[in-house]
Amino acid sequence: MHTITRMLSVLLLGGLTVAANASSGKDGWQKRIPRCGPDTKVVKFIEYDEGTAPAGGTAVSIVTFKEKKKKGCWIDVQDLHPTQSAVGMGAAACKSGKITRKGKDGKLDEWLLEDNRWVPLVRGPGGRFYLTDHHHLSSAVYNADIPDKQKKLYAYLIRDWSRMKEDAFWRRMEEEHLTWLKSPDGRTISPKELPSRIGHLQDDPLRTLSAWVRGSCGYVKCNPPGVTDEDAEGTCPARYADVACASEYFLEFTWAAHHATVPEVQAALAEGGACSQQAPLDQECLDRQRAKLAQSLPAAMAAAAAPAARTKPGYNPKAHDGVVPPCE
């Protein structure tokens, strides 16, 4: 009898453990994620609509979280090859501080595993992995004060063009809007002029300013597909529902170029405002840059709402004040 009771207890406890693990998502899939390499498979896209497309628009293609977990991989940030020349180092530095705290609290891996932080990759000639989005997140991880072994990201492969010649590869990258071949000063560059590593990305203060204007709804960027009405509450598309939101490629860079034409912005950055990427980051330079950009934000917001900007994607004609986001 005691034997049967013990057996039933073990079975019951085992069932409860399985149920608890299932409910908390701790099924061990995280530990099975392989390193990105030649065997990494290309993910499958699905058509998604459910009202996320602009009025009269078409459904968008997305990669589900389930698919990312099934075919995804992890990659050392040092092995990523950028597809743009610069980031807003001020914005990246703020995110880097948050990552440092996550790392010290033992919560970084869990944070990076969230669906919206997986990075898309293209496998190019020589098996190199090219990053096509999340350059700011990658730069933040690179510059975070955490051990090198923690400086990795979770990724999914969207294209495998590893058998292409270099010229054909970059033509395809441009055709599919997977690279931004512009320098911070707006000059067109060749793929050979792109930085070879995340640690070589330049700083573009206008890109940081553009993020502030976007965050203040100076222009309206569409929410990602799959965002629920509850999650969308308070976002710019929800607050300005009568404004046509934009989902164009490299939207922030497009608006950064517009901010560059604003006299007050030009004056604020006249003596240079870029801060070189180094380890550790030059916080004094970033603080000076932040003060200059904060001073020019009202003019940038006004220019974003001016009639001269009405042809820009996400144009919001309703002028209002901008807010400098806190640096967490």
Side-chain angles (χ1 to χ4, degrees):
M1 184 68 178
H2 288 297
T3 302
I4 294 174
T5 302
R6 283 197 298 271
M7 288 175 65
L8 288 172
S9 298
V10 169
L11 288 171
L12 179 60
L13 287 172
L16 290 173
T17 301
V18 170
N21 286 344
S23 64
S24 63
K26 295 179 180 178
D27 56 2
W29 64 268
Q30 300 97 324
K31 296 180 180 179
R32 296 195 297 270
I33 300 174
R35 186 168 190 164
C36 300
D39 295 329
T40 301
K41 305 297 183 185
V42 176
V43 294
K44 182 186 296 183
F45 285 79
I46 65 168
E47 294 298 306
Y48 188 91
D49 193 347
E50 290 193 15
T52 59
T58 58
V60 295
S61 296
I62 67 165
V63 180
T64 64
F65 192 29
K66 181 179 180 180
E67 180 74 355
K68 292 176 187 177
K69 292 191 290 185
K70 179 181 178 182
K71 296 180 180 176
C73 55
W74 66 267
I75 188 166
D76 192 309
V77 74
Q78 295 275 19
D79 294 331
L80 291 169
H81 294 265
T83 54
Q84 62 191 50
S85 66
V87 293
M89 206 60 67
C94 287
K95 191 172 291 186
S96 191
K98 182 175 185 177
I99 289 171
T100 296
R101 291 192 297 276
K102 292 282 185 185
K104 291 181 178 179
D105 292 342
K107 298 179 179 179
L108 179 57
D109 209 48
E110 178 184 354
W111 186 75
L112 291 173
L113 277 164
E114 292 182 14
D115 185 11
N116 63 333
R117 296 192 180 94
W118 288 56
V119 302
L121 303 178
V122 171
R123 187 161 48 212
R128 292 183 293 274
F129 286 105
Y130 289 89
L131 179 71
T132 63
D133 198 5
H134 284 315
H135 284 75
H136 284 77
L137 173 62
S138 302
S139 181
V141 170
Y142 174 83
N143 287 292
D145 184 15
I146 55 177
D148 287 345
K149 66 180 181 180
Q150 291 186 28
K151 294 185 177 183
K152 64 180 183 180
L153 289 162
Y154 294 96
Y156 56 101
L157 190 65
I158 61 172
R159 302 285 189 276
D160 183 4
W161 293 334
S162 55
R163 296 185 180 182
M164 287 185 176
K165 300 290 186 181
E166 287 283 344
D167 289 347
F169 170 75
W170 285 108
R171 279 198 302 272
R172 195 69 179 273
M173 290 286 283
E174 286 193 82
E175 289 170 0
E176 298 207 12
H177 308 286
L178 295 174
T179 184
W180 178 256
L181 296 176
K182 295 280 188 180
S183 65
D185 61 4
R187 178 177 59 87
T188 299
I189 61 174
S190 70
K192 291 181 179 179
E193 294 178 89
L194 286 170
S196 60
R197 294 286 186 271
I198 292 297
H200 296 165
L201 282 163
Q202 300 175 65
D203 177 30
D204 183 357
L206 291 169
R207 178 59 180 77
T208 295
L209 181 61
S210 181
W212 292 2
V213 173
R214 182 200 67 210
S216 300
C217 306
Y219 59 92
V220 182
K221 184 175 183 177
C222 298
N223 287 323
V227 172
T228 64
D229 290 341
E230 182 179 354
D231 290 337
E233 187 176 352
T235 63
C236 294
R239 290 168 57 190
Y240 295 93
D242 56 338
V243 172
C245 68
S247 56
E248 276 80 353
Y249 297 101
F250 307 108
L251 181 65
E252 290 83 358
F253 280 114
T254 297
W255 278 96
H258 179 71
H259 304 327
T261 66
V262 179
E264 291 86 347
V265 175
Q266 293 174 346
L269 301 176
E271 298 179 2
C275 300
S276 62
Q277 185 168 204
Q278 57 192 53
L281 289 168
D282 187 343
Q283 193 58 51
E284 288 187 10
C285 178
L286 290 168
D287 289 343
R288 289 194 301 271
Q289 180 191 97
R290 185 176 176 84
K292 290 179 179 179
L293 293 178
Q295 183 181 358
S296 64
L297 179 59
M301 289 292 295
R310 63 182 177 275
T311 59
K312 297 285 187 293
Y315 171 65
N316 183 0
K318 300 177 181 179
H320 54 281
D321 293 334
V323 177
V324 177
C327 191
E328 300 181 42

